[in-house]
Amino acid sequence: MKTQEDNSVITKAGRPRKQMKKDQRLTLVCTKTERVFISKWAKERGLTVSEYLRVMAFTREEDIKPEFSREARPLLVQLNYLLGNLKEMLEKEQGMPFTALKLAGIKSILQQVSNLQTTLMPYTN
């Protein structure tokens, strides 16, 4: 092995040592389907499976944006539609008194939003 003497410090030729050596193994047991999904998600983010799992393990739950399933997406579209209608109704009536009919419409939209929120709760946990 080739060495060089430099001010009484011996340095080795070759690859430099890593600052933090990863010498611990952790075994994960999962189904084949879970493995496929984990690999797919890692690839989408340009990471190895190990890097992806490490990132996910050390990311706080508040930092993770929820991903909704296909069943939840139509409900989210409906929720956005209802909120858009509500916003539009409130902007048009700014400074003007509400009629009983418009107030009933707003209450109906709010009730539908509340129902959708209850329906979406299982998808966010």
Side-chain angles (χ1 to χ4, degrees), residues 24-48:
Q24 301 295 309
R25 288 198 179 270
L26 180 66
T27 305
L28 171 73
V29 180
C30 62
T31 67
K32 187 173 183 176
T33 304
E34 290 169 335
R35 183 181 180 140
V36 168
F37 275 109
I38 291 169
S39 297
K40 176 182 159 243
W41 294 331
K43 188 175 182 179
E44 286 174 356
R45 289 166 178 79
L47 302 171
T48 65

Side-chain angles (χ1 to χ4, degrees), residues 65-82:
K65 295 178 183 173
E67 293 185 21
F68 294 100
S69 66
R70 288 182 181 201
E71 298 85 25
R73 288 186 184 137
L75 298 173
L76 290 170
V77 170
Q78 186 179 0
L79 181 61
N80 285 335
Y81 175 77
L82 290 171

Side-chain angles (χ1 to χ4, degrees), residues 85-125:
N85 282 349
L86 183 61
K87 181 182 175 191
E88 188 178 321
M89 288 175 80
L90 292 173
E91 285 174 353
K92 282 184 179 178
E93 296 299 323
Q94 202 169 16
M96 302 171 107
F98 283 104
T99 64
L101 185 60
K102 288 181 182 172
L103 196 55
I106 290 173
K107 285 183 180 179
S108 171
I109 289 173
L110 290 174
Q111 182 61 46
Q112 290 177 48
V113 168
S114 178
N115 291 343
L116 281 172
Q117 181 184 19
T118 304
T119 306
L120 285 169
M121 284 305 285
Y123 298 105
T124 58
N125 295 335

Side-chain angles (χ1 to χ4, degrees), residues 47-69:
L47 302 171
T48 65
V49 171
S50 293
E51 290 169 331
Y52 173 73
L53 292 175
R54 203 174 295 113
V55 166
M56 295 307 290
F58 293 110
T59 303
R60 293 188 326 221
E61 195 171 314
E62 302 88 46
D63 297 339
I64 301 172
K65 295 178 183 173
E67 293 185 21
F68 294 100
S69 66

